[in-house]
Amino acid sequence: MAQPGQTVTDFEAQATPDQTVRLSDLKGKNVVIYFYPKDHTPGCTTEGQDFRDNYTEFEKLNTVVFGVSKDSLKTHQNFKAKHDFPFELITDPDEVVCKVFDVIKLKKLYGKEYMGIERSTFLIDAKGMLRNEWRKVKVKGHVAEVLEAAKAL
């Protein structure tokens, strides 16, 4: 697991519409990868909409955005279409990308404990180095904070 200032381990994953994303193919661009628990849920929808509404600002900063959850490609495609997300969603049912960033944590919901994705965001620079990480993200105001960090690169 990369710490800020270290190079992120390369990974390969399926993403919408039906493509393979490799971190190494994105060299030369800054990359925002945000992990969220589940498509079509209130917090995850709001977070996606915030990234959507600020997407042109990220583009101006040579920064691509990817959302990641364990949902299927089909669910991702519906979620993306419904909310008009201009960025791709990565499907990670086997937690390959989740493990690279160590975002699978013990969570509690209605008194039940389970392992799931902790809402987290990572900013990787154009050379593949992790520059910022946000863990246990609260949705409100988060995207603005990520955008400011991208401006500082």
Side-chain angles (χ1 to χ4, degrees):
M1 221 263 355
Q3 301 296 323
Q6 294 179 330
T7 302
V8 177
T9 305
D10 196 20
F11 63 81
E12 181 175 302
Q14 289 305 113
T16 53
D18 189 14
Q19 66 176 334
T20 300
V21 172
R22 275 180 211 83
L23 186 59
S24 56
D25 291 346
L26 300 169
K27 285 244 165 61
K29 290 186 178 289
N30 302 315
V31 181
V32 169
I33 299 179
Y34 79 94
F35 291 85
Y36 62 96
K38 195 155 181 47
D39 290 344
H40 303 291
T41 56
C44 300
T45 299
T46 299
E47 186 176 24
Q49 290 168 336
D50 286 352
F51 274 111
R52 175 198 66 201
D53 295 347
N54 288 280
Y55 191 71
T56 54
E57 293 302 310
F58 282 106
E59 277 188 315
K60 288 176 191 169
L61 299 169
N62 190 35
T63 303
V64 293
V65 175
F66 291 97
V68 183
S69 81
K70 296 183 351 177
D71 292 297
S72 71
L73 204 52
K74 186 175 192 306
T75 303
H76 273 350
Q77 286 167 332
N78 292 339
F79 188 45
K80 182 180 181 220
K82 182 175 181 181
H83 298 288
D84 206 20
F85 294 156
F87 50 86
E88 303 307 335
L89 300 176
I90 293 173
T91 179
D92 195 24
D94 300 326
E95 301 177 1
V96 173
V97 184
C98 290
K99 286 178 180 141
V100 169
F101 292 93
D102 189 30
V103 297
I104 299 295
K105 304 291 181 188
L106 184 64
K107 299 176 79 175
K108 290 181 182 176
L109 184 66
Y110 306 120
K112 288 186 181 160
E113 289 189 342
Y114 65 98
M115 297 303 284
I117 292 179
E118 177 180 81
R119 192 181 306 277
S120 310
T121 302
F122 300 87
L123 178 60
I124 301 163
D125 71 15
K127 294 182 183 132
M129 185 183 293
L130 181 63
R131 298 299 292 269
N132 297 77
E133 64 178 16
W134 295 264
R135 295 184 179 272
K136 297 183 181 176
V137 166
K138 300 285 179 251
V139 174
K140 190 171 170 58
H142 174 62
V143 172
E145 210 176 299
V146 177
L147 190 57
E148 285 308 305
K151 286 177 184 170
L153 290 181

